[in-house]
Each structure stands twice: as C-alpha cells, then as structure tokens.
Amino acid sequence: QGQLLESGGGLVQPGGSLIPSCAASGFTFSSTWMFWVRQNSGLGFEWIATISPDGSDAYCVDSLKGRCTVSRDNAKNTVYLQMNSLKPEDTAVYYCAAGPTRLRPKYWGQGTQVTVSS
C-alpha cells in the first residue's frame, strides 16, 4: 500500500518562501506521477502542480506560475514544492498525491499546513 508523508509546512511571513516535501513509500516512485493539491479553509481542493515520473514534465497551475516550482528526487523517493513570494491567500493544507497516470491520483498524503501571516 502506497504511503505519502508531507513535511516542511509552517508559518511564514508574506513574501517569504517554503519548500514542502513529500516522502513516498510502498510503490515504485520512479514510475509514478506526482501531484500537489491544496485546500483552503472552507473551500474545495485546488490542484497546483504535476510532475511526470522522470521529472521532464513539470508544471504548476497558471495562477501560481512564477511563484511555484515542482521537482523530484527519484533516488530519495521524494517530491518537492517550492513556493516563493507567498501571500496570505496561499494559506492552506498542502497535500501530495501519486498515481500511475497524470489523470487520477491513487494515493494521498495527510497534508501539511502552510500559514502565511505577519
């Protein structure tokens, strides 16, 4: 059974940066698409980033371009999400997810809280 464990969230001031990470186990990480999704309090889930198994296809949602970078280290079974110039509206629980295709995640992590506030 696949497992995902996010870390690296926390409290950051507006304009700051964070690099949440997600450690995977229980499946072949290097063959799996990875995703980052966030959920603001009271709102639905918002997909924010996708990366292909070999990392050659990596992109963030248009609204975050320029502030978001997704990357992975297949030797460490870990995916990263670098967020820069953080804004209060970026406050959310950030989840990583994994799946055999780009279309539908199969595994989900428990999430890591990111709070942007002065």
Side-chain angles (χ1 to χ4, degrees):
Q1 182 71 15
Q3 293 187 331
L4 301 169
L5 182 63
E6 300 95 336
S7 61
L11 175 63
V12 62
Q13 292 187 342
S17 300
L18 278 178
I19 309 178
S21 61
C22 172
S25 62
F27 59 91
T28 306
F29 182 76
S30 59
S31 300
T32 305
W33 288 79
M34 299 298 296
F35 312 89
W36 285 96
V37 179
R38 68 183 180 185
Q39 184 180 29
N40 296 324
S41 177
L43 300 177
F45 286 96
E46 177 188 16
W47 162 80
I48 55 175
T50 297
I51 186 165
S52 61
D54 66 358
S56 62
D57 191 7
Y59 49 94
C60 295
V61 65
D62 285 347
S63 62
L64 293 178
K65 282 186 177 177
R67 301 197 296 121
C68 167
T69 303
V70 58
S71 62
R72 65 192 295 161
D73 186 339
N74 285 350
K76 296 182 178 180
N77 285 5
T78 301
V79 62
Y80 305 92
L81 178 71
Q82 180 165 353
M83 294 284 293
N84 302 319
S85 302
L86 284 162
K87 306 174 182 180
E89 52 264 41
D90 293 318
T91 295
V93 179
Y94 285 70
Y95 298 90
C96 73
T101 73
R102 71 166 69 228
L103 297 177
R104 183 180 299 174
K106 181 177 181 180
Y107 304 115
W108 289 82
Q110 85 294 340
T112 185
Q113 176 71 47
V114 171
T115 301
V116 184
S117 175
S118 56

